[in-house]
Amino acid sequence: MRTPATDEVIDLCRDLIRIDTTNTGDLATSAGERAAAEYVATKLSEVGLDPQLFESRPGRASVVTRIPGADSSRGALLVHGHLDVVPADASEWSVHPFSGEIKDDFIWGRGAVDMKDFDAMSLAVVRDWQRTGYVPPRDIVLAYTADEEAGSDWGAKFLVEEHPDLFEGCTEAIGEVGGFSYTVSNDLRLYMVQTAEKGIDWLRVHATGRPGHGSFVHDDNAVTALAEAVARVGRHRFPVVVTPTVRAFLEEVGEALQIEIDPNDPEAAIAKLGPIATMIGATIRNTANPTRLSAGYKDNVIPGRASATIDCRTLPGQFELFREQLMEVLGPDLEIESIHRQPALETGFDGALVDAMALALKAEDPGAHAVPYMLSGGTDAKSFARLGIRCFGFAPLRLPPDLNFSALFHGIDERVPVEGLQFGVRVLDRFLRQS
């Protein structure tokens, strides 16, 4: 069914993609976040809302506004999405990553699924509400943030620490990555609602040794020591740990696929999930992946210090144990520096908000069945949870059965199906009216 919102969401999504909001993690080289924030603020102002723009650093801007509800004594609902995107190399793409081109019934571009699609959905819904005079049942706080792709320091974290009053009364929140479909059969689709996400622990590991000439026999080489430690970590598999969220997901999947799942050895069953197996497989254990190496200043000089960055992702309640296990793998005589840490999150798959998600999905897709799952990455929810807000990933999309959705996140040829985007608008509208 076409509505003004389902028509407008296409243009909103394309416009946002065309604003290059690349976040390199470097304040000097990131771009476009203020331009995107100003675009969003304009779209909100056009329909009578009063958005506020907050700039944490020059160019690093976020937008927040509140829509009063019929019963402001109820806990408010936060609807949040980030405006920044990871870098994209145009030479690797089939279309220009900032074109917002429509091709093969998809909108293509960096941010199409992470997460300018949801930004466009929420804008389309509230703009339609404002034009028609609709008042939601409770206050809705909209937040469009900077810097999520580099840890949220200049976006959600800044807002929470410097302007917590913006979120006064918020008890629940929805954002990325959840509400997308996994097709089991023609008449059954599991919609994966994020109720948990792994913690982030980015470490820098340093090895030291005796510097010297590259032509000498050298047994105390920092590069060698670091390389051996990094190789051990990169090849290591930490033990399987099934959290309540993952256990609930596996039970739902086992029933849907009519397969037996051993909760103590779930990998065989996860392997049958097709493209989402990579995402789900990362939620049954802690992980540590080396991502960067740095050493030396001249080809014929053995350096006295070598460093590596390791991206660690931890399950809820596993941080301390994981660190002990990681130190055993790395071995002695290494310096460990913590460069960024955010805790894991987990909440139950229950309550009126979850019921509203399931009902909204079912109304638009009779074959829908909502299930909880854990995200292997992290989101702005880590910052908002510090305010006591119960956070979910719910950015609804009905996806083609053959689409490798998880590969699109930070991947080449990122794209969102037009029909899926319009489906998301209808579901989001229903959900917010019922919440």
Side-chain angles (χ1 to χ4, degrees):
M1 180 181 69
R2 289 182 58 179
T3 67
T6 59
D7 287 341
E8 186 177 39
V9 71
I10 297 170
D11 290 336
L12 291 169
C13 186
R14 298 181 75 194
D15 286 350
L16 286 167
I17 289 171
R18 288 169 180 150
I19 303 172
D20 180 353
T21 54
T22 296
N23 185 354
T24 62
D26 181 351
L27 290 171
T29 57
S30 294
E33 285 167 313
R34 181 169 182 110
E38 290 175 345
Y39 172 88
V40 168
T42 297
K43 291 299 179 182
L44 294 171
S45 297
E46 284 176 354
V47 292
L49 292 169
D50 185 24
Q52 295 176 270
L53 191 146
F54 299 89
E55 196 171 54
S56 56
R57 289 291 186 277
R60 314 307 297 272
S62 302
V63 178
V64 182
T65 195
R66 182 181 290 255
I67 304 174
D71 183 2
S72 291
S73 67
R74 290 183 56 197
L77 176 66
L78 170 63
V79 178
H80 63 93
H82 63 85
L83 296 170
D84 62 320
V85 298
V86 296
D89 182 348
S91 68
E92 298 175 331
W93 285 57
S94 301
V95 303
H96 195 282
F98 299 105
S99 67
E101 182 177 332
I102 295 179
K103 174 185 172 185
D104 301 328
D105 299 321
F106 284 79
I107 300 175
W108 297 59
R110 177 61 84 218
V113 297
D114 187 15
M115 61 173 297
K116 291 179 176 179
D117 57 341
F118 186 64
D119 295 333
M121 286 184 216
S122 58
L123 280 174
V125 169
V126 300
R127 280 170 60 84
D128 188 52
W129 285 0
Q130 291 294 111
R131 286 189 292 255
T132 59
Y134 175 74
V135 178
R138 58 169 164 167
D139 286 10
I140 303 292
V141 176
L142 299 171
Y144 301 88
T145 62
D147 200 39
E148 190 274 346
E149 295 292 2
S152 308
D153 283 352
W154 309 121
K157 184 179 178 184
F158 168 81
L159 293 175
V160 165
E161 293 180 349
E162 301 297 326
H163 302 280
D165 54 296
L166 295 169
F167 310 103
E168 184 178 354
C170 287
T171 56
E172 297 164 310
I174 61 166
E176 60 176 347
V177 176
F180 58 92
S181 65
Y182 168 71
T183 299
V184 176
S185 63
N186 289 337
D187 56 359
L188 177 60
R189 277 160 295 282
L190 303 182
Y191 283 84
M192 298 167 59
V193 176
Q194 190 217 125
T195 59
E197 58 183 59
K198 294 177 79 174
I200 298 172
D201 189 23
W202 294 340
L203 302 177
R204 195 157 287 139
V205 178
H206 307 283
T208 57
R210 179 170 48 84
H213 198 287
S215 68
F216 295 164
V217 174
H218 207 93
D219 295 327
D220 186 17
N221 189 317
V223 174
T224 302
L226 180 76
E228 290 173 342
V230 165
R232 286 194 298 272
V233 170
R235 295 192 179 100
H236 186 73
R237 293 296 175 266
F238 291 87
V240 170
V241 178
V242 180
T243 65
T245 293
V246 174
R247 185 178 298 275
F249 172 79
L250 292 173
E251 289 173 354
E252 294 278 8
V253 166
E255 183 176 339
L257 298 180
Q258 297 184 330
I259 58 175
E260 190 74 26
I261 295 181
D262 180 354
N264 297 314
D265 184 22
E267 291 180 285
I270 290 173
K272 298 178 182 179
L273 298 181
I276 66 166
T278 301
M279 180 186 291
I280 302 303
T283 66
I284 60 171
R285 53 167 46 93
N286 301 307
T287 59
N289 286 306
T291 56
R292 301 181 72 179
L293 295 169
S294 176
Y297 55 88
K298 198 170 187 296
D299 291 348
N300 63 346
V301 175
I302 296 169
R305 186 177 177 88
S307 303
T309 302
I310 303 178
D311 183 351
C312 305
R313 305 294 173 126
T314 56
L315 297 167
Q318 288 281 303
F319 175 76
E320 298 297 338
L321 176 59
F322 167 76
R323 273 294 187 95
E324 292 176 8
Q325 294 170 339
L326 179 65
M327 295 304 295
E328 290 180 6
V329 177
L330 281 169
D333 304 324
L334 293 172
E335 176 189 343
I336 310 299
E337 176 189 0
S338 180
I339 56 177
H340 186 82
R341 182 189 171 194
Q342 292 183 321
L345 302 178
E346 188 164 32
T347 189
F349 188 62
D350 54 20
L353 198 73
V354 170
D355 293 342
M357 293 176 189
L359 287 170
L361 288 165
K362 196 79 170 176
E364 293 297 332
D365 178 5
H369 180 58
V371 300
Y373 92 106
M374 179 185 292
L375 178 67
S376 59
T379 74
D380 278 340
K382 295 185 186 301
S383 294
F384 294 124
R386 293 168 57 189
L387 298 176
I389 299 172
R390 188 182 182 203
C391 296
F392 297 87
F394 188 67
L397 284 173
R398 180 168 174 174
L399 302 171
D402 59 347
L403 181 67
N404 188 346
F405 185 60
S406 61
L408 299 179
F409 285 82
H410 299 188
I412 297 167
D413 287 342
E414 184 180 348
R415 59 199 184 276
V416 63
V418 172
E419 288 187 2
L421 187 65
Q422 294 175 316
F423 169 87
V425 168
R426 295 193 299 270
V427 172
L428 184 63
D429 188 20
R430 285 182 182 274
F431 163 73
L432 293 175
R433 288 173 186 262
Q434 296 166 355
S435 66

